[in-house]
Amino acid sequence: MTDEPVLLTEQSGHVRTLTLNRPHRKNAITRDLWAALRGELHHAAKDSDVRAVILTGSGGSFCSGADISDAAGMDEFPDPSREMNAINDVVQLLHDLPVPTVAKVRGVAAGAGWNLALGCDLVVATPDARFCQIFTRRALSPDCGGSWLLPRLVGLQQAKRLALLAETIDADEARGLGLVTWVRPEDAIDTFVEELAVRLASGPPLALAQTKALLNAGTVRTLSESLAEETRAQAVNLTGADVIEAFAAFAEKRAPVFTGTPGG
């Protein structure tokens, strides 16, 4: 065992990296790790210095899911909904986070671990990454947002295949299904993800936050509802400082410097 924190945090410029840090258990998530994730996502949502978040795991694995060997048993919490609420808080925070998120996946991403990766806006994996909706192997049903995410990403039939059979798929198949955005070699993934996060963090914060929210909600809105929300979002953008900066940078043939300053 180790006295190291179960979640490592690192800030580089405007990019915050959260690293699941239980390598001896392939970063399986305990109550302490759920709580740490919940706290760090709360902080990231409120910290104006954070403009992009990377979620990854230590020791060559992303996350093998919830740790079913966690010392405290069900007797301590006879109402399972209390356990699920801790997970649901993290899922909702990740979904609502107003900055872009990138999952960097090596090795195994299973169960709740895979769904945490799918909850990020973009997913980058190494060729050795393996993905599994492992729940039914444990006589469980999907959680951590899997029942909502999978059908929206791959369609209902493929979602049922992945969830009912609990098959393990590789990075190439996951990319083909639209569950991984990019596959990058082991010796290139760190640089690729860092550069990607810097690009995202350099974007206009207000516009990126509203773009993310519009896309997240678009699948459950009607066209008329989406048009109304686009109008609202664009009105906010047009009163902010970043639009003025974007137009000025275009005219002056230079790169824009966005601040996310809202309009008065």
Side-chain angles (χ1 to χ4, degrees):
M1 298 296 291
T2 174
D3 293 328
E4 288 190 19
V6 294
L7 183 67
L8 305 177
T9 63
E10 181 183 357
Q11 183 85 15
S12 177
H14 290 298
V15 178
R16 181 161 299 175
T17 300
L18 306 180
T19 303
L20 310 179
N21 189 42
R22 301 187 70 238
H24 59 291
R25 295 289 298 166
K26 295 185 179 179
N27 302 315
I29 311 178
T30 59
R31 291 189 182 98
D32 287 346
L33 185 44
W34 285 121
L37 273 170
R38 183 168 63 249
E40 286 301 329
L41 291 172
H42 265 301
H43 294 154
K46 296 177 181 178
D47 189 345
S48 60
D49 200 41
V50 177
R51 295 195 190 176
V53 169
I54 299 169
L55 181 63
T56 191
S58 64
S61 292
F62 183 76
C63 175
S64 58
D67 192 342
I68 60 175
S69 69
D70 199 359
M74 292 302 292
D75 291 342
E76 182 178 345
F77 294 110
D79 182 0
S81 64
R82 293 184 61 180
E83 297 291 300
M84 292 307 307
N85 285 339
I87 297 173
N88 295 342
D89 285 348
V90 172
V91 175
Q92 194 68 58
L93 283 165
L94 182 62
H95 181 78
D96 293 340
L97 200 65
V99 301
T101 54
V102 182
K104 181 170 65 175
V105 181
R106 291 181 167 94
V108 64
W114 188 9
N115 291 338
L116 273 180
L118 294 178
C120 293
D121 301 313
L122 301 167
V123 180
V124 187
T126 54
D128 75 329
R130 295 294 180 269
F131 303 89
C132 182
Q133 292 288 319
I134 199 170
F135 301 99
T136 58
R137 296 191 196 176
R138 307 289 184 255
L140 298 169
S141 52
D143 61 26
C144 203
S147 66
W148 190 89
L149 289 161
L150 279 172
R152 284 162 174 78
L153 291 168
V154 301
L156 184 57
Q157 190 173 77
Q158 286 294 339
K160 287 179 177 179
R161 168 211 159 192
L162 292 168
L164 294 174
L165 297 175
E167 294 178 337
T168 298
I169 63 174
D170 62 21
D172 285 337
E173 183 174 1
R175 183 170 179 255
L177 288 169
L179 297 167
V180 166
T181 322
W182 295 279
V183 177
R184 289 294 181 270
E186 169 63 34
D187 60 0
I189 190 171
D190 289 334
T191 299
F192 180 86
V193 171
E194 288 166 10
E195 291 176 350
L196 173 63
V198 168
R199 283 176 59 198
L200 292 167
S202 299
L206 283 176
L208 289 180
Q210 296 197 98
T211 298
K212 175 176 174 175
L214 286 168
L215 293 172
N216 279 344
T219 58
V220 294
R221 286 184 180 138
T222 64
L223 175 59
S224 60
E225 289 169 339
S226 293
L227 291 172
E229 282 302 300
E230 288 175 3
T231 299
R232 178 206 57 76
Q234 211 68 295
V236 173
N237 293 329
L238 288 167
T239 61
D242 284 344
V243 166
I244 297 172
E245 168 62 10
F247 284 28
F250 176 78
E252 296 164 14
K253 295 180 172 57
R254 61 172 175 83
V257 178
F258 296 120
T259 63
T261 305

